[in-house]
Amino acid sequence: YILPNSLKSALIPFLAGIPERIGFTGEARYGLINRRHTLDEAALPQMAERFAQLAEAPGAPLPRPLQNPRLSSSREQQATTLATLGIARPEKIAVFCPGAEYGPAKRWPAQHFAALAERCLVAGKQVWLFGSAKDQEIAQAIKDQAPAGVINLCGRTRLDQAIDLLSLAEAAVCNDSGLMHVAAALGLPLVALYGSSSPEFTPPLTDRAVIVSLSLECSPCFERVCPLGHMDCLNKLESGMVWDALNQAIARQPA
């Protein structure tokens, strides 16, 4: 299954001799993909729908509704991960996922995360930061600007361990990122922050999310770096607005 529509992404499995190569025709990939789908963007507005379509026969309609992804973690798994990492479980945890692999135009600024962390700490919630080693810089900036009580776990966990620890949280605040979708699949109350990307295209697949976006004229631009140089879509998204959304997400009951 070849998910990107680029020529390079189809060339690699072709050269590797993969016998069945499934994907959208994309960039004139007729010889590289031998089970070809034609993408109808209007009929499949979400990325998840487009990927799910590849599981069907070419030309067949996508069965709807799609089931939301689901993840779970047992008490035993949680206890093992806490012990392995030497972390005590506090009564209330707010999880922040400040990274976004795609680029800085999807990352809410560190000073805003720090201001939100202060609100959470005053309310009795310990704040845990999750991400890869690449997110260490922004995580450390948040920790440096926030009061004591923020634990930086970026780069310290495997993905399965991150799932165990995320499942302990009261709620999560995430950029549009992979960990946002993990939090959604765990059924956490979730605040999803959108700047350069679109909640219509890559929404959190859960009924417990509150989406926060300023919906400026220039967004979504889908660029890695703000082409206008100001990143107003996230810089002007104040922590008070996200705090209100966080409380709304916690209060929202699952369907």
Side-chain angles (χ1 to χ4, degrees), residues 10-178:
L11 184 62
I12 294 170
F14 172 79
L15 294 175
I18 306 300
E20 187 174 12
R21 303 177 300 279
I22 304 163
F24 292 106
T25 302
E27 300 175 0
R29 307 189 297 179
Y30 292 97
L32 302 178
I33 292 178
N34 54 17
R35 185 173 163 190
R36 296 188 299 272
H37 293 253
T38 300
L39 176 58
D40 184 341
E41 294 184 356
L44 302 171
Q46 292 185 7
M47 181 183 287
E49 294 173 333
R50 297 177 186 183
F51 292 167
Q53 179 65 62
L54 297 179
E56 306 302 320
L62 177 66
R64 295 178 187 273
L66 287 182
Q67 288 190 349
N68 289 341
R70 292 184 180 180
L71 289 170
S72 63
S73 173
S74 69
R75 286 184 175 271
E76 291 76 17
Q77 290 169 316
Q78 295 160 7
T80 298
T81 294
L82 287 169
T84 299
L85 297 175
I87 300 172
R89 176 179 178 173
E91 185 177 347
K92 291 184 178 181
I93 308 161
V95 163
F96 295 174
C97 301
E101 185 70 20
Y102 186 72
K106 291 177 70 173
R107 299 182 195 133
W108 199 39
Q111 66 268 26
H112 292 343
F113 268 116
L116 181 65
E118 183 172 4
R119 291 176 182 264
C120 290
L121 292 165
V122 169
K125 309 177 198 297
Q126 191 174 89
V127 176
W128 290 357
L129 309 179
F130 283 90
S132 70
K134 294 179 182 179
D135 301 318
Q136 271 287 0
E137 183 176 353
I138 187 171
Q140 190 59 47
I142 294 168
K143 186 176 173 65
D144 290 344
Q145 296 176 61
V150 174
I151 296 180
N152 178 10
L153 295 168
C154 290
R156 291 180 55 189
T157 65
R158 303 188 308 264
L159 181 57
D160 60 326
Q161 293 173 323
I163 291 170
D164 292 335
L165 297 182
L166 281 165
S167 67
L168 300 173
E170 182 184 24
V173 179
C174 307
N175 297 322
D176 178 16
S177 63

